[in-house]
Every structure is written in structure tokens, then in C-alpha cells.
Amino acid sequence: MSDTSKAKWYVVHTYSGHENKVKANIEKIVENRGMEDVILQVVVPTETVVEIKNGKRKDKSKKIFPGYAIVKMIMTDESWYVVRNTRGVTGFVGPGSKPIPLTDEEVANMGLEKRTVEVDFEIGDSITVISGPFENFVGVVEEIHLEKQSIKAIISMFGRETPVELEFDQVSKN
């Protein structure tokens, strides 16, 4: 078992329009070869854009970096070879054959990894919303979702109990 904390994010160049195929191909190879602790995650960053066509509103998922996939992996000869030789991959981004990992800042700016926020509250605690549309409302923590860095709280709004989902950094413990 390798130390997954050594894993870094690398940018892989793909044939245009093959980003999702590359993601699926790499994930399949990783699964078949049992390389989950070396190649941890493949991401094709997308954003939702609203398109209005013929007066109809439509949300569309649009690739932020067409022609690229981003892979979180521990760089070894084998992992390099697997990713590099995946169908649809034209190579790693970096000078020559040496892939350069993204910096922590780049990773944060691309929203690839949410910073972990320590929580000092538990289910049943009273909280105050400190930012966002429910600012200054007081509520009670119902659920805590560490992986999504969010909580579900019941706030009293217009005299009714209303469940809302809030990010950790939007609330403070009373």
C-alpha cells in the first residue's frame, strides 16, 4: 500500500472531445490492475452554463478546459505508462517527458480539492448563519457531511421550520 498523501494532480492532454472517454478508460484500467492507491482520481472540470434557446432555458455542462483531463496520481514509471498509453491521451502537460504537477494554488483555484474545514459543532448544536442568503438566521444542525463540507440545518423562517444545506464556512456555533 503506497502513501496516497504523495499523490499530486497532473494535467493530461487528450484528443478534443475525448476527455470523458479518457476519464472512463483510465478508471477502467485502474480498476482492472488494482491501481486505486496510485491513480486516485480523474477529473474533467466542467461548469454549468445557462443557454436560452427559442425562449427555453437550458442548463448545459461545459468543459472548462477542453482537450484536458486532470489526474490525481503518484507518479511512478507504471502509473506514467498507464496514463500516457491510455487511448485518447496525447501526453502529459510539462516540458519533454517530465510531467509537472499542479501547484497547491492551482489546485485550489481550479476547485479540484475543497480545503478541509475543521468543524467544532455536532448534530443538535445551535448555529448562526454568517454568510449567504440565510445570513443571521439561527438553526440547529441536523446532519454533517464531511465529504461535501456542508451541513443540513433546520432554521426557523417565516415561523416555519425549514431544512437548508449550508457550507461549513457559512455557519458559526452559538
Side-chain angles (χ1 to χ4, degrees):
M1 186 76 185
S2 54
D3 179 8
T4 55
S5 69
K6 289 193 175 84
K8 299 255 185 231
W9 289 95
Y10 293 89
V11 180
V12 179
H13 205 275
T14 69
Y15 292 125
S16 192
H18 286 242
E19 303 86 355
N20 292 329
K21 276 195 199 91
V22 164
K23 173 177 161 59
N25 289 344
I26 293 173
E27 286 168 349
K28 192 170 220 56
I29 295 165
V30 165
E31 195 182 319
N32 291 343
R33 294 196 183 190
M35 294 178 73
E36 291 87 353
D37 58 342
V38 185
I39 300 173
L40 289 89
Q41 203 179 349
V42 185
V43 177
V44 177
T46 57
E47 60 185 350
T48 304
V49 283
V50 176
E51 230 177 45
I52 296 177
K53 229 179 186 169
N54 305 329
K56 284 190 174 55
R57 196 189 139 108
K58 201 171 146 200
D59 287 354
K60 242 180 104 175
S61 183
K62 181 178 157 232
K63 291 181 190 82
I64 300 173
F65 309 109
Y68 295 96
I70 299 158
V71 184
K72 185 174 192 175
M73 61 190 281
I74 296 169
M75 192 55 73
T76 65
D77 289 346
E78 189 190 9
S79 66
W80 179 89
Y81 183 86
V82 163
V83 174
R84 176 65 192 87
N85 291 295
T86 298
R87 254 180 58 201
V89 170
T90 57
F92 280 96
V93 172
S97 61
K98 181 120 182 64
I100 304 243
L102 294 170
T103 64
D104 293 345
E105 197 181 342
E106 289 169 325
V107 170
N109 289 344
M110 291 166 80
L112 291 171
E113 283 179 359
K114 290 247 189 254
R115 286 210 171 70
T116 347
V117 181
E118 293 293 308
V119 292
D120 63 348
F121 42 77
E122 301 171 1
I123 290 172
D125 280 353
S126 173
I127 49 100
T128 300
V129 183
I130 53 173
S131 71
F134 303 108
E135 194 171 345
N136 299 326
F137 279 97
V138 173
V140 176
V141 179
E142 283 264 293
E143 296 169 17
I144 298 175
H145 303 283
L146 290 173
E147 69 291 343
K148 290 198 329 211
Q149 300 278 299
S150 70
I151 65 161
K152 189 179 197 178
I154 299 290
I155 59 174
S156 181
M157 203 160 65
F158 312 121
R160 295 220 330 258
E161 306 275 283
T162 308
V164 293
E165 192 157 318
L166 302 159
E167 292 187 16
F168 286 165
D169 56 5
Q170 289 183 295
V171 296
S172 76
K173 185 175 165 179
N174 292 346

